[in-house]
Amino acid sequence: MSANRAVVVFRNTSSGAGPYILVLLNIQNASILDTAFGTSTGALTFAIARLTDTIFVLVTDDVDGNFIFSKIYETTGDTLTSKTASQTIHNFQPTAVSVARVSDTKFLTIYNIDSAGASNGAAVVGTYDGVSTVSYGSEVTFHAGATSYLAMVRGTNLYHVYYRNDGTTSMSGKTATVSGTTPTFGSAQGVVANDIKYISAAIVAGEKALVAYADAADGDDSYVIVATLGATSITKGAAVQIENNAAVTATYTTQSATDTGYVAIRKPASDLEYVPITIVSHTPTIGTAVEFLSNGGFPLIHYQSMII
């Protein structure tokens, strides 16, 4: 589909858990094209990733059932269609999940097992049979300790995992590779030393990523930083502020061969907006925000987005 389309997922309560809502959005004119609603009574966290031009995976949780699951959706024209039932990944309640494409039929998802437990950061590879079922490989631990916020994106050769190390409250990064249904992780690299929340990321080019987060040490103000992560090294620029007191999710789209645009969707109060961000080397420049969902429509607390 055209890069002027985006899928955004969020929950429909301002506090506590609520069913997830998927929105197919035209980001050129901020119009909503279609919606799909979760059937569980509550979800606390979720993530989405495109597998093909029309197929994407949603990973989320069920608060009442106390489990994490995946679900495959298809976009046809301006319509969202469910392709699978909910497929349970693990019977526990995560507080953070992220997912990235491995192939047209495989995805890598990361999550925290228990926000207060050991071996907290975990990963698993899911396989979609192309019809109605998803199966999973063995679970692998990438961080042995509490990890309350995390995000993952796929670079040219590596997967990039950004997570909060709750022991230090700072953000670390690790690369990963996948062989079959087994992920392998590199060593931890320091990304942001401050106390952070609400991590999300998008690949700029190669192994360079735009990482968005809220700085808990600065009143939860939202920031972005550009980083090139390797298995044993990191190159990064200075963090740049986007907005006061706003959660952020970063999404990538190429506008032309010479002008690359990056959209950060954020929540300044109960509003949902997107912000164009241009990047030169490791320096981001923030554009003008455009609101597409205002206070009183759907009160928001958490969301993810992707360009399709």
Side-chain angles (χ1 to χ4, degrees):
M1 290 187 68
S2 171
N4 66 354
R5 297 291 194 268
V7 172
V8 182
V9 58
F10 53 90
R11 72 174 187 252
N12 70 344
T13 58
S14 58
S15 62
Y20 68 81
I21 300 174
L22 282 168
V23 172
L24 181 61
L25 174 73
N26 184 325
I27 62 175
Q28 288 188 328
N29 60 21
S31 62
I32 293 175
L33 303 173
D34 196 12
T35 57
F37 298 85
T39 56
S40 66
T41 57
L44 287 172
T45 187
F46 28 72
I48 47 179
R50 187 176 70 173
L51 301 184
T52 71
D53 286 344
T54 60
I55 299 293
F56 68 93
V57 58
L58 165 71
V59 178
T60 185
D61 65 289
D62 186 308
V63 172
D64 290 343
N66 194 37
F67 61 88
I68 181 175
F69 65 90
S70 69
K71 191 173 175 67
I72 303 294
Y73 282 89
E74 182 177 26
T75 58
T76 305
D78 293 339
T79 303
L80 288 168
T81 304
S82 172
K83 299 295 288 184
T84 68
S86 300
Q87 307 280 294
T88 300
I89 296 173
H90 206 137
N91 290 313
F92 58 82
Q93 184 65 60
T95 60
V97 300
S98 191
V99 64
R101 178 185 182 272
V102 175
S103 69
D104 288 357
T105 58
K106 289 183 179 180
F107 56 91
L108 174 64
T109 186
I110 61 173
Y111 42 85
N112 57 6
I113 296 173
D114 181 335
S115 61
S119 300
N120 185 251
V124 72
V125 174
T127 302
Y128 172 46
D129 68 358
V131 182
S132 61
T133 303
V134 174
S135 59
Y136 306 104
S138 299
E139 185 178 87
V140 174
T141 297
F142 70 85
H143 176 68
T147 309
S148 55
Y149 300 98
L150 51 79
M152 176 176 58
V153 287
R154 177 180 172 174
T156 301
N157 300 307
L158 300 167
Y159 297 88
H160 301 245
V161 176
Y162 297 94
Y163 61 96
R164 170 177 151 140
N165 180 337
D166 285 5
T168 62
T169 71
S170 60
M171 188 198 308
S172 296
K174 286 187 177 183
T175 59
T177 57
V178 174
S179 177
T181 59
T182 303
T184 301
F185 293 87
S187 59
Q189 309 297 320
V191 181
V192 177
N194 293 355
D195 185 358
I196 59 91
K197 298 179 178 178
Y198 312 126
I199 306 170
S200 61
I203 287 293
V204 176
E207 308 304 334
K208 183 191 294 184
L210 173 70
V211 184
Y213 61 95
D215 190 334
D218 192 18
D220 284 354
D221 291 356
S222 60
Y223 285 81
V224 290
I225 189 170
V226 180
T228 300
L229 189 61
T232 59
S233 64
I234 186 171
T235 301
K236 59 185 179 181
V240 177
Q241 185 180 28
I242 296 178
E243 180 59 63
N244 295 330
N245 191 21
V248 181
T249 181
T251 301
Y252 154 86
T253 179
T254 301
Q255 297 176 342
S256 72
T258 57
D259 179 18
T260 302
Y262 300 90
V263 177
I265 298 177
R266 58 186 174 81
K267 179 183 71 67
S270 293
D271 303 335
L272 200 55
E273 302 177 347
Y274 59 88
V275 182
I277 300 174
T278 55
I279 295 171
V280 176
S281 185
H282 288 81
T283 302
T285 300
I286 311 303
T288 302
V290 178
E291 179 184 295
F292 70 87
L293 200 61
S294 62
N295 188 14
F298 297 96
L300 304 173
I301 195 69
H302 181 77
Y303 48 86
Q304 289 284 312
S305 66
M306 70 175 184
I307 300 295
I308 58 175

